[in-house]
Amino acid sequence: MAWRQILLSNRRLLSVPSNSVTSGFASFSSKSNPYIVKVGIPEFLNGVGKGVETHVEKLESEIGDFSKLLVTRTLKLKKLGIPCKHRKLILKYTHKYRLGLWRPRAEPVKA
């Protein structure tokens, strides 16, 4: 009998309506929406900045497509002659882009 009461009380606690739990977070969004520009290799590397944009021509001629850049490994970038710091930045931001945590800005950043 005691087990039945415990199980029933746990079911009541767990059966909270789902909309009451998430209603406080419905208006919160960590992502902004000014990213209507189509992303290619030049836009991506300009968004990363820090000197990586100097490799635009090399990456466009060797890799060609932005979707291929997203799955490129460090050894391929090394064979293209891209320095270690720039390879790290490219791989870091491609990983963030794939996860949806980062996108290049629509307008260029003023230095």
Side-chain angles (χ1 to χ4, degrees):
M1 189 70 174
W3 285 103
R4 180 179 279 173
Q5 290 175 345
I6 292 171
L7 289 174
L8 287 175
S9 66
N10 283 343
R11 284 186 186 164
R12 283 189 212 125
L13 291 175
L14 295 175
S15 66
V16 176
S18 62
N19 60 359
S20 66
V21 173
T22 59
S23 64
F25 299 108
S27 63
F28 176 73
S29 175
S30 63
K31 296 181 180 178
S32 57
N33 295 334
Y35 302 116
I36 302 171
V37 177
K38 184 176 184 242
V39 178
I41 292 177
E43 294 85 10
F44 183 82
L45 295 180
N46 286 331
V48 171
K50 301 178 185 174
V52 178
E53 60 273 1
T54 58
H55 306 291
V56 170
E57 298 86 15
K58 192 183 305 181
L59 289 174
E60 279 190 324
S61 65
E62 294 294 326
I63 294 176
D65 191 18
F66 179 64
S67 59
K68 290 181 184 176
L69 178 65
L70 292 177
V71 294
T72 302
R73 306 238 174 156
T74 186
L75 192 60
K76 173 86 171 174
L77 295 175
K78 187 175 185 175
K79 287 179 181 176
L80 294 176
I82 297 174
C84 182
K85 283 187 179 183
H86 292 172
R87 287 196 307 266
K88 281 184 175 181
L89 285 169
I90 291 170
L91 295 172
K92 174 182 167 184
Y93 282 97
T94 53
H95 182 68
K96 285 184 176 186
Y97 184 87
R98 280 182 303 201
L99 294 176
L101 298 175
W102 180 83
R103 286 183 62 94
R105 294 176 182 242
E107 68 278 349
V109 179
K110 294 180 181 177

